[in-house]
Amino acid sequence: LRLEARGEAYYLYQNVGAAPRFMFTSDVEAVVDGAAAFDAIRSERFDPQRTAVVEVAGSSSSSTPQHGSVSLVSYRPNEVVVDVEAPASGVLVYNDAFHAGWSASVAGTERPIVRTNYLFKGVALDAGQHRVRFTYRPPGLGVGLMLSVAGAVIGLMLLTVGRRRIG
């Protein structure tokens, strides 16, 4: 930690060792499940600023890891857009909680989100320039909307039947 500012009632520190919000790396270690991912991130050789541990079958690690650049285009509550310059195939790591409801697209094409570094989101990318869009739609939103509409229709039907019986 590095002291950035100090006031009468506060101290402000910067965590210089924190992993970036977004990073691209070709230094990818593939593991088969969450237990193996947890073991991998606890290893002394794991560097969260350079490595991505992904939960997928198979292995795809570069012999000479390369790191690309990521630029934030927009950041809204339900949508995050980044531009990625990937010098090799690898993984875009989004250090935000892996959670159902998030989806990713690259140049408008849906891509799977893989659990990365045990807790976070990742998207596999080929070498090149990419615009990646993460979108959040709450799980169950469609079902909840359909149930609400059905409830409103039933309520209106009951109200109509009740008025006919009274009159």
Side-chain angles (χ1 to χ4, degrees), residues 10 12 40 96 106 108 115-116 124-125 131 166:
Y10 69 90
L12 178 64
D96 186 61
V106 178
R115 187 180 302 265
T116 305
L125 297 174
R131 176 155 287 181
I166 294 174

Side-chain angles (χ1 to χ4, degrees), residues 110-163:
E110 197 77 19
R111 290 277 180 93
I113 294 179
V114 293
R115 187 180 302 265
T116 305
N117 296 347
Y118 189 67
L119 296 172
F120 306 118
K121 297 185 264 293
V123 176
L125 297 174
D126 296 324
Q129 295 181 353
H130 306 281
R131 176 155 287 181
V132 182
R133 181 179 315 274
F134 291 92
T135 308
Y136 181 71
R137 298 237 184 329
L141 180 65
V143 172
L145 184 59
M146 288 187 335
L147 290 173
S148 295
V149 168
V153 168
I154 291 170
L156 286 172
M157 289 171 50
L158 291 173
L159 185 61
T160 303
V161 169
R163 282 190 176 172

Side-chain angles (χ1 to χ4, degrees), residues 47-62:
D47 181 353
Q49 295 183 353
R50 305 189 60 74
T51 306
V53 175
V54 296
E55 294 179 34
V56 294
S59 177
S60 60
S61 186
S62 173

Side-chain angles (χ1 to χ4, degrees), residues 8-158:
E8 223 175 274
Y10 69 90
Y11 290 89
L12 178 64
Y13 291 91
Q14 179 183 6
N15 184 353
V16 293
R21 187 69 156 169
F22 301 95
M23 74 169 188
F24 175 84
T25 183
S26 67
D27 187 3
V28 179
E29 180 181 346
V31 296
V32 295
D33 60 18
F38 188 67
D39 289 343
I41 66 167
R42 292 185 333 172
S43 162
E44 287 182 20
R45 62 179 171 36
F46 175 70
D47 181 353
Q49 295 183 353
R50 305 189 60 74
T51 306
V53 175
V54 296
E55 294 179 34
V56 294
S59 177
S60 60
S61 186
S62 173
S63 58
T64 55
Q66 298 181 44
H67 305 281
S69 63
V70 182
S71 302
L72 182 64
V73 175
S74 70
Y75 193 96
R76 296 187 300 228
N78 293 335
E79 182 184 70
V80 177
V81 180
V82 294
D83 284 338
V84 180
E85 177 63 42
S89 294
V91 174
L92 167 64
V93 179
Y94 177 11
N95 285 313
D96 186 61
F98 182 90
H99 188 274
W102 281 98
S103 62
S105 64
V106 178
T109 302
E110 197 77 19
R111 290 277 180 93
I113 294 179
V114 293
R115 187 180 302 265
T116 305
N117 296 347
Y118 189 67
L119 296 172
F120 306 118
K121 297 185 264 293
V123 176
L125 297 174
D126 296 324
Q129 295 181 353
H130 306 281
R131 176 155 287 181
V132 182
R133 181 179 315 274
F134 291 92
T135 308
Y136 181 71
R137 298 237 184 329
L141 180 65
V143 172
L145 184 59
M146 288 187 335
L147 290 173
S148 295
V149 168
V153 168
I154 291 170
L156 286 172
M157 289 171 50
L158 291 173

